[in-house]
Structure formats: C-alpha cells, structure tokens
Amino acid sequence: MRKFLLLFFSFLLLQFNINAAEPGKVLGGQQYETPTWFTDSFLDIAEDVEEAGDGDKKVLLFFHLDGCPYCDAMLKQNFKSGENQAYIKDNFSVIAVNIKGGREITMPNGEAMTEKELAQMLKVQYTPTIVFLDKQGKRIFRTNGYRNPALFGHTLEYVAKGHSKSQSLNQFVASKSAPSYQFEPHPLLEKVTDFSGFSDPVAMLFEDKQCVGCSDIHKKLFNREEVSEELEKFLFVRFDADSEEEIIFFDGTKTTPKKIAQQNNLSYRPGFLLFDEGKKIIEIDNRLYSFHFNAVLSFVSGGNHKTHDDFNAYRNAYQAKLLEQGIDVNMVD
C-alpha cells in the first residue's frame, strides 16, 4: 500500500510539473505584408524626399513591427483599401521601416544608421508610428500608434494641405465636426488641480468634446477588472484638453490642461500622461487593447521604468513572465 501511495503521489507531482511548465500562448498577433505600391527605397531619405517632391508629394515613414495587430489594422483600413488609400497614393511617398530591422538608412543630414537604431533614436514605443517629412526632409508631424480611418483621414489632409503650419491637429479636427461627446463618469476619477509636491503615480486622462473614442474606452477598457486594479494604483484624474482651467503642476508652476496637452504633443483623444515622482514617464497617444494598456500602467505603477531601458524592453519582459506562468496573452482583446 505504501509503495502504491508513493507511486500515486509521484504521478500527481509529475502531472503538476508538466502542467506548470506548459507555457501560455500569444493570441491575436497578425502577420501581414506591406502593399506592393509602397516606395521601393534604397533608404537614402534625402533622395526619397527629392523624388517625392518632384511628384508634389511628401514622404511618409511607416514604422512597423512584425506581428503587430495595430499595424495590420492600419494597413488594411487605410493603405490596402478604404477611402484613404487613393489620397495617400496621390499625396505621399510611403516608406516602410521595420523597428527591429537591420537595413541601413541614411538621413538627410548624412547620418547613417540601421532601422532599429533610427526607431530607438526617435523613441518609437508604439507601432505603427508614422512620421511625415517635408520637402527638406524635416519632420512635419508624427502619430504614435493606431488611428481609425476617420481620424487618420483628417491627419492626412492636415499634413498634405499644410494646415500644420497654422494650427494643431485637434483644432483642425474640431473644425470638421460638431461636439458630440459627453464626458463619461468613472468611480476612480478624482478632481485635483494642484499637483505640487505630489510624488505618487499619476494618470492624467485627456478628453474633449469632439472625442470619438472616449465612450468606447470607458465601456470596453476601464471596466475590465485587471485594468481597474492597475488604475487604483494611480491618482487618476481627467481634464478637458481644451480647458483653460488653472492647474498647478508638480514643480509648482501654473499651467492649463490645454497647454499640458499641447506641450506633450497629445494628438489623439483619449490621451494619457503617466507620471511618477513628479516626472512624466510615458504617454499613451493612441488606441491600445487591454494587454498593452495594462503593460503601460504597470510600467509606471510598479516602478518598472527604473529597472528597464524603455517601455519596449519592459513589455517584452512582462509578456514573457505571463507566458512562463501559463497565462495566454491576447493582443487584441
């Protein structure tokens, strides 16, 4: 009997170890190809800018990552089909840049580096990141991460017709649509206007009356248990990005929500600024699914920004840890 029990418990232990060792799976990653009509570039950006200018076009650098579901969606909805495709072809020369790639790129100032090094220099944290260049090769505008076709269409027109010289993208978008968003309530949101001397993690949410994605994020993201658990670690506040209300910032200076949004180039609504110890750590200027959103929150709330080179390094470690624990990672949930 004793021998039988030993064999039985050995079998259970073996099964437990097998199950414990079973890694999680990555779900929702999308393999894609860039359109064949993208510019076949030798990655000498000065030459690309000159050739684009000869055709009365501007250069659009499309920074992407293999398996990125946001890149796949942007390509499908804007570059491979949809109302924006023809406008892009008529007004832009599109060059794909893989943020992990090893091809050499020569910048207009003559500096040469790999695709990966360029992405690191530009601090690309979300894909797709899109950088628009003028006829001199200087950056006109930049978007970080996914944009829906309506907003991306406004962005394309904003850049192509030179509106960036006279107004912000949000001012341009506001001129195109009437206010329709009513600011959604949330139990974790607090009303604070004086941040002087505050050192704990702070999550600032910026919305406005023209916001088309704000209701969606309240209903599909903020109400998730794992997201709420992370948000509880922050002082969570919201501002109208157009407000001139006086705010006392962490260093004691007086400012407004409008100035804060503009100074941090928040061109997407809803946008976030995340702070720790009175310093901005990272922004969210694009749509994110729950996995990536939670990764950004924990990057700040857990002090992980102090122990990792950047958010991408932390996100990879965060994902690996979940997979080791047997937890599936769904990129598009």
Side-chain angles (χ1 to χ4, degrees):
M1 183 67 178
R2 183 180 178 185
K3 183 176 181 181
F4 171 78
L5 288 174
L6 286 173
L7 288 173
F8 177 71
F9 284 115
S10 296
F11 173 78
L12 289 179
L13 183 61
L14 178 62
Q15 289 298 109
F16 175 81
N17 289 334
I18 290 173
N19 292 334
E22 185 70 25
K25 298 177 182 178
V26 177
L27 308 173
Q30 297 293 330
Q31 297 303 319
Y32 57 85
E33 293 182 358
T34 55
T36 56
W37 56 265
F38 274 21
T39 300
D40 188 14
S41 171
F42 289 106
L43 299 182
D44 185 325
I45 303 303
E47 290 185 1
D48 291 323
V49 166
E50 183 178 356
E51 290 179 9
D54 291 341
D56 198 27
K57 296 181 179 182
K58 295 179 174 67
V59 166
L60 184 163
L61 300 178
F62 186 89
F63 287 84
H64 67 105
L65 174 67
D66 293 340
C68 165
Y70 306 98
C71 302
D72 180 59
M74 281 283 286
L75 288 170
K76 284 179 178 176
Q77 296 169 8
N78 298 279
F79 296 86
K80 296 181 178 180
S81 62
E83 296 181 0
N84 292 331
Q85 184 192 53
Y87 194 87
I88 296 171
K89 287 183 175 181
D90 290 342
N91 291 278
F92 298 95
S93 174
V94 184
I95 299 172
V97 181
N98 190 322
I99 69 167
K100 297 293 185 181
R103 295 183 301 166
E104 185 174 90
I105 297 179
T106 303
M107 302 305 291
N109 63 2
E111 185 177 3
M113 64 192 76
T114 65
E115 296 169 284
K116 182 178 180 179
E117 290 169 341
L118 177 60
Q120 291 173 336
M121 185 183 78
L122 295 177
K123 297 182 179 179
V124 174
Q125 301 184 102
Y126 304 109
T127 51
T129 285
I130 294 175
V131 176
F132 298 93
L133 304 178
D134 65 14
K135 294 181 180 180
Q136 286 72 48
K138 296 181 179 179
R139 189 175 76 182
I140 306 172
F141 193 68
R142 167 175 171 166
T143 63
N144 304 301
Y146 175 83
R147 298 291 187 274
N148 65 43
L151 180 56
F152 191 55
H154 291 323
T155 304
L156 294 168
E157 183 182 356
Y158 173 73
V159 173
K161 294 189 176 180
H163 294 290
S164 59
K165 298 176 182 178
S166 59
Q167 60 185 320
S168 70
L169 174 62
N170 290 297
Q171 290 173 325
F172 179 69
V173 172
S175 70
K176 293 281 188 177
S177 58
S180 60
Y181 172 63
Q182 301 295 322
F183 292 85
E184 296 271 358
H186 191 278
L188 293 178
L189 284 169
E190 299 185 43
K191 177 66 175 177
V192 177
T193 57
D194 186 349
F195 297 91
S196 56
F198 198 88
S199 61
D200 289 342
V202 176
M204 292 185 182
L205 165 64
F206 291 82
E207 301 180 328
D208 62 32
K209 295 177 181 178
Q210 287 78 32
C211 182
V212 295
C214 291
S215 290
D216 193 58
I217 199 172
H218 279 268
K219 294 173 182 176
K220 297 183 179 180
L221 197 62
F222 291 166
N223 63 352
R224 298 176 70 105
E225 182 179 355
E226 68 274 19
V227 173
S228 292
E229 287 177 357
E230 280 298 328
L231 284 174
E232 286 177 352
K233 300 173 185 178
F234 291 84
L235 170 64
F236 186 30
V237 296
R238 172 174 59 196
F239 296 115
D240 181 340
D242 294 323
S243 173
E244 299 282 3
E245 176 186 19
E246 183 177 280
I247 300 294
I248 301 177
F249 213 52
F250 297 95
D251 60 1
T253 59
K254 294 180 179 179
T255 184
T256 67
K258 185 175 182 178
K259 287 181 180 178
I260 296 172
Q262 290 175 344
Q263 290 168 352
N264 288 277
N265 298 313
L266 288 181
S267 63
Y268 184 79
R269 303 288 182 267
F272 295 82
L273 296 176
L274 302 182
F275 299 84
D276 190 25
E277 298 179 349
K279 297 179 181 179
K280 189 187 88 169
I281 305 302
I282 194 170
E283 69 281 341
I284 302 176
D285 192 35
N286 53 296
R287 175 189 174 185
L288 291 178
Y289 293 109
S290 61
F291 165 72
H292 291 102
F293 188 74
N294 249 28
V296 177
L297 294 181
S298 64
F299 178 61
V300 179
S301 67
N304 295 293
H305 59 91
K306 300 175 184 178
T307 56
H308 292 77
D309 291 338
D310 54 28
F311 169 65
N312 286 327
Y314 169 69
R315 182 197 60 204
N316 292 336
Y318 177 73
Q319 176 176 314
K321 183 177 180 180
L322 292 176
L323 296 176
E324 287 175 5
Q325 295 173 349
I327 299 172
D328 291 342
V329 173
N330 192 330
M331 297 289 186
V332 295
D333 183 19

